[in-house]
Amino acid sequence: MKNLFYRLIIFLDTAAENDTNYNIAWFMANNFYRIADMRISELANECFVSPATISRFCRALGYENFAHLKQECYTFHSNDKKFNNLINISLETMKDNPELATKEYANQVIEHISLLPSMLDWKEIDATLQLIHNSQSVAFFGTQFSQSAALHFQTDLLMLEKFTMAYMDSSRQLECAKELTEDSVTVIITVNGYFTSSGHKILQYIKKSKCKVILMTCNSELDIKIPVDHRILLGQSQNRKTGKHTLLTVVELMSLRYYCLYYPSIQELKGHIL
């Protein structure tokens, strides 16, 4: 369900205000509680668009149709414990003793990050970085925080004179996947494996391209239904609620490793400029 809010925010943060999808996203974000009980014609009238436009927007959000989106909205509203799954801290502890909640969560993060030295396979990471360095077409795929981490990695690589693609919008990711070739490199980041369902169309195009595939996940048993050339394990499956912290740590380590292996010296840069 969080994926819906995430994609609505992307539309609102990136689309022009006169864009049709922006107007639909704005209405849904400001009237979310109404969506579960609305007919598609009602939503279309509120947004001054056709029902067909609403249907296309729902597909852009990753849903089969408006009925599919409505069902998820209904499920969200019927759940009175929406935020219980954010972190492994009880609501009672956070309500009564936020200092203790802070300590408990910090200890969880520290514990799981401390496992990385024994878990990270640097042969796999170095092979991944070599592929990234050598390919002219490198694309990151993921959702929510995973793609935010990809954007962070993309920025680091660009500072090191390596251009890659990491689109936040799922429709842009799909278009990117359609353009992949056998010479491309894709990095799929999915901490808990949710991308296998939300990105199944993208995965089909990745498979069709026969490009090199790197998978970064906390789930060692994850099967994304396409061949994987290199797998980077970010932690243990039971640590999924703190996986975003180990992911960010690994990304920053990979950026530093790339710098050590491939960033040209000042003299090489001067020669390139001349």
Side-chain angles (χ1 to χ4, degrees):
M1 185 63 213
K2 188 176 181 180
N3 202 38
L4 172 58
F5 294 100
Y6 182 81
R7 290 180 176 178
L8 286 176
I9 288 173
I10 289 176
F11 275 111
L12 293 173
D13 286 348
T14 60
E17 292 189 15
N18 60 354
D19 183 274
T20 299
N21 284 338
Y22 177 93
N23 294 329
I24 300 173
W26 186 94
F27 181 86
M28 291 182 65
N30 285 276
N31 300 273
F32 186 75
Y33 68 96
R34 298 174 54 190
I35 303 301
D37 298 318
M38 295 183 76
R39 295 191 298 271
I40 189 171
S41 58
E42 293 176 313
L43 179 57
N45 289 335
E46 292 283 0
C47 299
F48 304 101
V49 297
S50 68
T53 300
I54 297 295
S55 295
R56 286 193 294 270
F57 182 71
C58 290
R59 290 193 292 271
L61 290 174
Y63 296 93
E64 296 176 7
N65 48 44
F66 181 64
H68 184 197
L69 184 148
K70 275 184 60 173
Q71 180 57 45
E72 187 155 348
C73 292
Y74 176 81
T75 301
F76 178 79
H77 286 306
S78 64
N79 180 7
D80 61 354
K81 298 181 179 180
K82 299 178 179 66
F83 296 99
N84 278 15
N85 67 339
L86 290 182
I87 59 177
N88 291 319
I89 301 297
S90 71
L91 297 181
E92 291 77 12
T93 302
M94 178 55 76
K95 180 179 179 181
D96 300 333
N97 193 337
E99 292 82 6
L100 177 60
T102 302
K103 181 178 180 180
E104 289 182 359
Y105 189 59
N107 287 337
Q108 290 177 24
V109 174
I110 291 169
E111 177 186 356
H112 297 153
I113 290 179
S114 69
L115 295 174
L116 285 178
S118 61
M119 293 195 64
L120 282 183
D121 187 337
W122 279 98
K123 290 182 178 180
E124 287 288 276
I125 294 176
D126 281 353
T128 294
L129 296 178
Q130 184 177 38
L131 285 174
I132 291 174
H133 177 264
N134 293 342
S135 176
Q136 297 298 313
S137 171
V138 180
F140 292 90
F141 297 94
T143 60
Q144 299 182 30
F145 186 86
S146 293
Q147 197 64 1
S148 297
L151 182 62
H152 182 60
F153 194 17
Q154 179 194 35
T155 304
D156 284 350
L157 289 171
L158 187 58
M159 292 173 63
L160 300 174
E161 301 191 22
K162 180 63 186 181
F163 175 75
T164 60
M165 296 168 285
Y167 299 112
M168 299 297 290
D169 179 63
S170 58
S171 61
R172 295 287 302 278
Q173 288 191 36
L174 181 60
E175 292 305 312
C176 177
K178 292 178 180 179
E179 299 298 322
L180 296 172
T181 69
E182 190 173 352
D183 296 324
S184 301
V185 173
T186 64
V187 183
I188 300 168
I189 306 178
T190 176
V191 173
N192 299 315
Y194 298 147
F195 189 73
T196 55
S197 56
S198 63
H200 66 278
K201 291 183 179 179
I202 294 173
L203 289 171
Q204 291 173 5
Y205 281 105
I206 292 175
K207 181 179 180 179
K208 183 179 179 180
S209 73
K210 298 181 180 180
C211 65
K212 295 293 185 181
V213 176
I214 295 96
L215 175 63
M216 299 177 64
T217 182
C218 282
N219 187 348
S220 60
E221 304 299 322
L222 180 63
D223 180 9
I224 61 173
K225 308 301 182 183
I226 66 173
V228 173
D229 296 280
H230 299 284
R231 183 183 296 259
I232 299 174
L233 195 59
L234 305 168
Q236 300 172 340
S237 296
Q238 61 266 35
N239 301 346
R240 64 185 183 85
K241 293 182 182 179
T242 53
K244 56 183 174 288
H245 300 285
T246 54
L247 167 60
L248 185 57
T249 301
V250 172
V251 162
E252 292 185 333
L253 288 169
M254 290 176 69
S255 295
L256 183 59
R257 180 67 170 169
Y258 188 94
Y259 172 82
C260 294
L261 293 176
Y262 298 112
Y263 192 61
S265 67
I266 296 298
Q267 293 303 318
E268 289 174 321
L269 281 174
K270 288 182 178 178
H272 177 70
I273 294 172
L274 294 176

